[in-house]
Amino acid sequence: ARPRPSHGNATPRLKLNAAGCAPAKMTPLMWLPMTAALVPSSSLPLSKSLVTMTSPQSSLLQHAQELVPQTAVSGFDSITLLNLASLGPIENALADPVACAFWLVTFLPQNLWVLLVLLPNWSLTVRLMEPLAPIAFFSCIHLFIVGYSAGQSQEQGTAPLDLFNVLFDPTADGLGTYLELGKFRNFAAEEWTHELIWDLFVGRYIWMDGRKRGIFTSHSVLLTNLIGPPGLLLHLLTVQVTNRLKGSDEIEETPSM
């Protein structure tokens, strides 16, 4: 379906399917005019428009209102919000820079983990993971989250600095403070991507160390991806066991990061 041409300030509309909803698959060219329009095409308030909708439509509208900041909901009419609710996870993330960065650091590195675990000696794995470029790339995305969040208010998802300072007060409830900080979306995005990037950094180190020593690392790399530091401990244990089996107590120099 193609968006109908707009008339004046009216919001462009998409052709709805039999259920009264927008198509499940929508290209950016189809949904961009809908999300960009801030002038409602209907004079009916959202609450009154919701009364005339079917149950599936009502659920989609409620989902859309969760996606759009509350301060902007009043600028969208019911049809626009229904179309916004029909967007996939990637399109939803692109509507929010922090969510987009969160998505990139969460899912893109998983392809690199697959190479490190299942194809550690493949030439493509070596070409991609020996340089620090992938780690630097994801670090830049994390830096973007930090910088972008610093320019936002508490209401926009950035944790207050005084609450963060309490986290390092040995007399305070550190865990309780951390849970409070986790309620702020920008803090949660920064912490999650922070952990994932360091896990990838350590996983790469284990893989490189194993290649130099000629020992198996897939189990240690996989554990690092799952729960972090125990993967490094498993690798150190693997090194010691392998040396014992070889009858060598020599500790080789570890590779440079």
Side-chain angles (χ1 to χ4, degrees):
R2 295 183 179 178
R4 299 175 183 175
S6 59
H7 301 281
N9 290 332
T11 304
R13 299 185 177 218
L14 291 179
K15 191 179 295 181
L16 303 181
N17 58 25
C21 305
K25 291 184 107 178
M26 300 171 60
T27 65
L29 290 179
M30 294 170 64
W31 60 261
L32 184 58
M34 307 303 300
T35 57
L38 294 178
V39 179
S41 59
S42 171
S43 58
L44 288 176
L46 288 179
S47 58
K48 292 184 179 179
S49 300
L50 185 60
V51 175
T52 63
M53 295 180 184
T54 62
S55 179
Q57 287 178 303
S58 300
S59 299
L60 274 175
L61 180 59
Q62 292 172 0
H63 174 57
Q65 289 174 314
E66 294 174 357
L67 296 176
V68 182
Q70 191 61 37
T71 55
V73 167
S74 59
F76 292 87
D77 71 345
S78 307
I79 301 300
T80 300
L81 287 174
L82 285 172
N83 287 312
L84 179 60
S86 302
L87 303 181
I90 297 179
E91 288 89 345
N92 288 336
L94 291 176
D96 183 338
V98 172
C100 180
F102 181 93
W103 188 94
L104 290 173
V105 178
T106 298
F107 294 103
L108 293 189
Q110 300 311 315
N111 302 287
L112 302 178
W113 284 109
V114 169
L115 294 178
L116 292 175
V117 173
L118 299 181
L119 300 167
N121 297 316
W122 190 26
S123 59
L124 178 61
T125 306
V126 175
R127 287 200 303 269
L128 285 175
M129 294 307 296
E130 274 195 347
L132 268 172
I135 308 296
F137 171 74
F138 293 118
S139 297
C140 288
I141 297 178
H142 174 266
L143 181 61
F144 166 78
I145 294 176
V146 174
Y148 184 87
S149 300
Q152 292 194 306
S153 65
Q154 182 175 335
E155 291 72 20
Q156 293 172 312
T158 297
L161 186 59
D162 55 349
L163 182 60
F164 183 79
N165 292 335
V166 174
L167 190 61
F168 294 93
D169 183 352
T171 63
D173 179 8
L175 180 57
T177 302
Y178 190 84
L179 291 174
E180 285 294 320
L181 287 168
K183 296 178 181 178
F184 294 90
R185 65 191 307 273
N186 292 349
F187 177 84
E190 185 279 327
E191 284 296 298
W192 175 252
T193 55
H194 176 159
E195 294 171 9
L196 292 184
I197 294 168
W198 279 123
D199 284 350
L200 183 60
F201 181 81
V202 176
R204 170 185 172 274
Y205 166 78
I206 293 172
W207 167 75
M208 290 183 65
D209 190 40
R211 281 177 54 81
K212 179 176 180 179
R213 298 176 186 271
I215 65 175
F216 184 73
T217 60
S218 293
H219 62 310
S220 303
V221 172
L222 177 61
L223 190 61
T224 301
N225 184 25
L226 295 176
I227 54 177
L232 178 60
L233 295 178
L234 180 58
H235 174 65
L236 296 177
L237 177 62
T238 302
V239 170
Q240 295 302 316
V241 170
T242 303
N243 285 341
R244 294 291 182 181
L245 292 176
K246 290 181 178 180
S248 172
D249 293 328
E250 179 182 358
I251 300 178
E252 301 178 21
E253 181 182 356
T254 56
S256 61
M257 295 291 191

